[in-house]
Amino acid sequence: MSRKKSNSGLRFQPAGGNRAPQVPVGKKQRLLIERVSGDGRGIAFVEGRTWFVSGALVGEEVEARVLAARGKVVEARLERVFLPSPQRREAPCRHYARCGGCNLQHVPHADQLALKQRLLAEQLQRVAGLQPEQWAAPLSGPEFGYRRRARVAVRWDAKARQLDVGFRAEASQDIVAIDDCPVLVQPLQNIFRHLPTVLRSLSKPQALGHVELFSGTAEALLVRHVAALPAEDLARLEAFCAEAGAQLWLQGEGQPAPVDAAAQLGFALEPWGLELAWRPGDFVQVNAQVNTLMIQQALAWLAPQADERVLDLFCGLGNFALPLARQAREVVAVEGVQAMVERAEANARNNNVHNARFFQADLSQPLAGAGWVAEGFSAVLLDPPRDGAFEVVQGIARLGARRLVYVSCNPATLARDAQVLAGQGYRLKRAGILDMFPQTAHVEAMALFEAG
């Protein structure tokens, strides 16, 4: 099928035909954006190739620079807009054109939410042939200042004799040297603003691997290193953290991890009167406000009653299990990593929660054999990683649960698992997105299934 000539005189070639010539990295190409991909990139078709252009919107005529090409797929980044979409806005962050951390700042937030909702709906329909009986409104918080953890890239450039500090560029190992990031929570912005200067002042910066920032009931700076840090560098880092009011954690060659083995952070779940302790390296949702909204919605949809027994799979630190225990008779919580099970048990004790039991199990395998499986449940909550819960959901109907809430960080695996649940007689009652990562195309979602 041929494509029409645009007003600018640009002519688009058929998608088929002779073998397309090799597209070199760095080449610039003028394109008409016709669709949007699942990760928010614009899609164009030229000479039998499909171009994915970050930063481009449907209907725009743009110039894009090739980042990578393989087969008939070209990955590119926007260089110039000739005909902008009315949907386009000026990116609020001055580093947006270079930094690879965000990819939707050129889209108004309301339109970001609509895009994510549409992508979820398309996955459910295409993969599982399902649509929910009711769409839930998106759960969202502030556009900026939401991220309570971040990994900072650090690399010693031996040729230039300098330390690069910042975030990775898109589709590249290049480091964009920046010292401010508006998506970080304010306490981390304050630390990050001075961090590059401090790291570059060290006598042995080539010993650094990367740095992570964390915020909770306190802040923490985790420095991973590939060689022992000199005493003067350790003192410099300790002084910086003391001035910033942050804990210092070291991990790598020559020093134990962490410096203070008793140190930990925490975060509050205020609606339930809970505070969960965690350590850098544990999985914690990066968006505290949306995390609270997510738990509230999950509990409202699951509606656990005071006489019911609830199963929480992939429970982590107890993020869902402990609020569930405030409403249910008993919660059985299961996690694959033993250290996280122990952390969740400690969180239950420290919050005087006595009706939650925690178990370790390999949740990449079907549920079978364990005593807690045979006892049955009224409701189930799943919060799996990106791979989803395919093996777990295979026989989940045997647990007897009438209600099931599935929290997903990957709509594709949610849709795949939803098809399995539908095959066991569960109906998709509600679904909606969780805007855990504003300014990015990352989609998180929640779905409610009911038996019969």
Side-chain angles (χ1 to χ4, degrees):
M1 175 176 164
S2 63
R3 305 186 186 278
K4 293 182 179 179
K5 190 174 182 179
S6 72
N7 292 335
S8 64
L10 177 66
R11 187 171 185 82
F12 297 90
Q13 301 298 323
N18 298 330
R19 181 181 296 274
Q22 194 68 267
V23 180
V25 172
K27 171 184 170 63
K28 293 183 179 180
Q29 175 72 44
R30 191 160 178 166
L31 303 165
L32 173 64
I33 305 301
E34 300 188 28
R35 290 161 37 196
V36 64
S37 69
D39 58 6
R41 292 181 293 177
I43 298 177
F45 304 93
V46 178
E47 297 179 345
R49 295 184 185 272
T50 302
W51 290 63
F52 293 87
V53 184
S54 60
L57 297 173
V58 173
E60 291 187 328
E61 288 186 10
V62 305
E63 182 179 70
R65 179 173 57 85
V66 176
L67 300 176
R70 59 188 183 282
K72 294 187 177 182
V73 174
V74 180
E75 298 183 16
R77 184 171 181 87
L78 181 72
E79 291 282 301
R80 182 180 175 189
V81 180
F82 298 106
L83 180 64
S85 164
Q87 188 183 29
R88 176 172 293 278
R89 72 170 179 183
E90 188 71 23
C93 177
R94 62 191 177 94
H95 302 295
Y96 180 62
R98 299 180 297 127
C99 179
C102 298
N103 62 352
L104 286 184
Q105 284 196 21
H106 60 290
V107 180
H109 191 223
D111 293 329
Q112 293 181 28
L113 298 178
L115 170 65
K116 294 178 182 184
Q117 189 87 354
R118 181 174 63 80
L119 294 175
L120 173 61
E122 289 176 351
Q123 286 283 1
L124 288 170
Q125 182 61 52
R126 182 177 62 82
V127 176
L130 296 173
Q131 289 293 314
E133 295 178 17
Q134 178 186 358
W135 280 109
L139 290 187
S140 186
E143 285 189 67
F144 294 95
Y146 68 84
R147 192 176 183 105
R148 60 180 172 183
R149 61 184 300 175
R151 175 168 172 165
V152 181
V154 176
R155 182 177 60 208
W156 173 251
D157 187 334
K159 185 175 182 181
R161 302 295 298 173
Q162 69 179 25
L163 186 72
D164 297 326
V165 182
F167 295 118
R168 300 285 181 188
E170 182 188 11
S172 171
Q173 292 300 307
D174 293 343
I175 296 175
V176 179
I178 62 178
D179 57 8
D180 68 298
C181 176
V183 300
L184 297 180
V185 295
Q186 192 61 54
L188 294 189
Q189 290 190 39
N190 296 336
I191 295 173
F192 187 52
R193 191 171 297 118
H194 304 287
L195 181 64
T197 300
V198 173
L199 296 180
R200 291 177 183 129
S201 73
L202 300 181
S203 65
K204 193 178 178 181
Q206 59 268 39
L208 300 175
H210 71 264
V211 173
E212 295 181 55
L213 303 174
F214 305 90
S215 181
T217 50
E219 279 65 56
L221 175 69
L222 174 62
V223 177
R224 299 187 187 273
H225 49 92
V226 296
L229 295 173
E232 61 187 287
D233 289 351
L234 181 57
R236 179 75 180 94
L237 290 169
E238 289 174 336
F240 171 66
C241 287
E243 184 177 352
Q247 299 175 12
L248 173 63
W249 298 66
L250 300 178
Q251 191 171 63
E253 297 295 327
Q255 281 108 0
V259 170
D260 181 357
Q264 62 184 16
L265 302 178
F267 66 91
L269 296 177
E270 294 181 359
W272 304 277
L274 298 165
E275 184 174 306
L276 276 63
W278 57 288
R279 301 165 71 86
D282 291 347
F283 174 77
V284 176
Q285 295 287 1
V286 303
N287 192 321
Q289 289 170 282
V290 173
N291 183 56
T292 297
L293 294 173
M294 174 180 71
I295 298 170
Q296 288 176 321
Q297 180 170 281
L299 267 62
W301 288 11
L302 206 59
Q305 302 301 302
D307 62 345
E308 290 185 327
R309 193 164 182 264
V310 179
L311 176 64
D312 176 13
L313 296 174
F314 308 93
C315 70
L317 295 165
N319 191 49
F320 288 104
L322 300 187
L324 279 167
R326 296 293 199 211
Q327 297 180 216
R329 173 175 60 86
E330 182 184 21
V331 174
V332 172
V334 186
E335 168 61 41
V337 180
Q338 181 61 36
M340 296 294 280
V341 172
E342 294 169 3
R343 201 98 75 240
E345 290 176 330
N347 282 328
R349 288 193 303 271
N350 293 337
N351 285 278
N352 295 314
V353 175
H354 304 296
N355 61 331
R357 294 189 292 151
F358 297 88
F359 299 92
Q360 188 277 332
D362 183 357
L363 295 177
S364 67
Q365 301 299 319
L367 298 177
W372 51 264
V373 174
E375 298 174 30
F377 300 91
S378 300
V380 177
L381 186 142
L382 302 97
D383 183 18
R386 289 189 60 81
D387 289 345
F390 184 71
E391 296 298 336
V392 167
V393 299
Q394 293 293 324
I396 208 162
R398 291 194 293 270
L399 300 177
R402 304 293 300 173
R403 307 180 306 282
L404 187 149
V405 164
Y406 190 126
V407 180
S408 170
C409 59
N410 184 352
T413 52
L414 168 61
R416 178 203 65 197
D417 295 347
Q419 185 178 35
V420 175
L421 291 168
Q424 297 177 63
Y426 284 97
R427 292 177 294 125
L428 179 56
K429 296 288 291 184
R430 296 180 189 171
I433 66 163
L434 315 171
D435 191 31
M436 195 68 73
F437 297 88
Q439 314 310 325
T440 80
H442 183 78
V443 182
E444 304 221 353
M446 184 183 297
L448 170 66
F449 299 86
E450 291 186 358

